[in-house]
Amino acid sequence: MNIALVTGASAGFGAAICRHLAAAGWRVIGTARRAEKLQALHSEIGEAFLPLPLDVSDKAAVTAAVQGLPDGWRDVDLLVNNAGLAVGLERADTARIEDWERMVATNINGLLYVTHALLPQMVQRGASALIVNLGSTAGNWPYFGANVYGGTKAFVEQFSLNLRADLAGTPVRVTVLEPGLCSGTEFSNVRFRGDDARAAAVYEGVQALTADDIARTVLWLAQQPAHVNVNRIEMMPVAQSFAGLSVARKKN
Ligand code: NDP
Ligand code: 8X3
């Protein structure tokens, strides 16, 4: 395996994954909407990095981008579906429908468009290949305000497992990677719509996971022998654990 396509490469996990893969000898196609951030990564990594500006929620753009990959970059054998976001942390009855739509459009539709565009050639080549989908602990553990975000990540988990079921008998492997609290990315700044102080408070006094922790895990997955499929990985910082079930009591 030697060509990777990483979505959401302009920040956070995606940029770290590109750096780690390139350092390990991969040629990496990095996609995201902010072309200037991808260009900066290109200046840093060099010719092993191909910037591919793209909105994953735009089906036609995804198809065109994949079909238009330059010679020498078409045989993608590692796809990292990382682009995604949470918007808002409101209780469901006060949440904005536009935020829900945006999360579904990016975390579900975007992941599907990219997978659907690349999967046929991955299967037809008949060589070892790997898809890593970024889920989240939010897909496994409900918490206040995660309503649709957690729902999209539960979709990512089940879709990943079903994809692998479809691909049985082919050398294409699928892993869903489900991190918990992770700082140093733009995730909470996006969730809180640019309220950076509120975003920073999420990680105050906590040694959270880092984007490098996630990138090392992706690289490890890519380095497994071709006969090994890791179905799912859930990872948390040691500082994070499980909440108890909540009980709403009547007031006397
Ligand atoms: P960041 O906000 O730092 O990065 C998100 C990336 O996704 C950016 O590169 C952004 O690029 C890209 N992106 C967002 N929307 C689109 C779109 N429509 N089309 C193309 N690219 C898009 O977040 P993280 O690195 O923290 O998160 C990465 C993934 O990991 C997400 O799927 C997230 O849900 C998941 N995750 C994050 C955790 C955390 O605590 N940070 C924990 C568990 C999972 P641009 O804006 O340039 O398009
Ligand atoms: C990101 C982790 O706990 O903010 O998926 O949902 S969390």
Side-chain angles (χ1 to χ4, degrees), residues 52-234:
L52 187 67
L54 179 64
D55 180 342
V56 292
S57 68
D58 181 339
K59 184 167 55 174
V62 171
T63 307
V66 169
Q67 285 175 354
L69 283 172
D71 283 346
W73 289 91
R74 294 204 182 116
D75 291 345
V76 172
D77 38 25
L78 170 60
L79 165 61
V80 185
N81 276 314
N82 162 76
L85 76 179
V87 195
L89 194 61
E90 289 81 25
R91 207 170 77 169
D93 56 310
T94 61
R96 303 178 198 174
I97 192 67
E98 296 76 19
D99 292 343
W100 286 5
E101 288 169 338
R102 212 172 135 207
M103 289 185 274
V104 169
T106 311
N107 303 357
I108 296 182
N109 293 350
L111 183 143
L112 294 181
Y113 296 153
V114 177
T115 304
H116 193 263
L118 281 169
L119 189 59
Q121 61 92 3
M122 285 178 130
V123 173
Q124 282 156 21
R125 279 209 325 278
S128 182
L130 171 65
I131 299 173
V132 179
N133 292 330
L134 261 294
S136 166
T137 49
N140 303 330
W141 304 98
Y143 65 88
F144 182 95
N147 38 64
V148 168
Y149 177 66
T152 65
K153 293 303 185 179
F155 172 90
V156 170
E157 179 185 84
Q158 199 59 25
F159 175 67
S160 303
L161 299 175
N162 282 333
L163 193 54
R164 181 61 204 137
D166 284 1
L167 295 171
T170 80
V172 181
R173 297 170 287 161
V174 185
T175 301
V176 58
L177 175 55
E178 306 173 332
L181 192 73
C182 182
S183 63
T185 79
E186 298 177 1
F187 177 83
S188 289
N189 311 78
V190 172
R191 166 169 260 175
F192 299 128
R193 303 182 180 86
D195 183 342
D196 294 340
R198 191 174 171 200
V202 172
Y203 310 104
E204 237 165 55
V206 179
Q207 184 171 2
L209 296 174
T210 67
D212 282 332
D213 295 329
I214 309 307
R216 274 188 285 105
T217 307
V218 171
L219 180 59
W220 176 81
L221 286 166
Q223 289 169 335
Q224 293 310 297
H227 68 283
V228 174
N229 194 92
V230 178
N231 298 331
R232 56 165 99 81
I233 295 180
E234 184 184 81

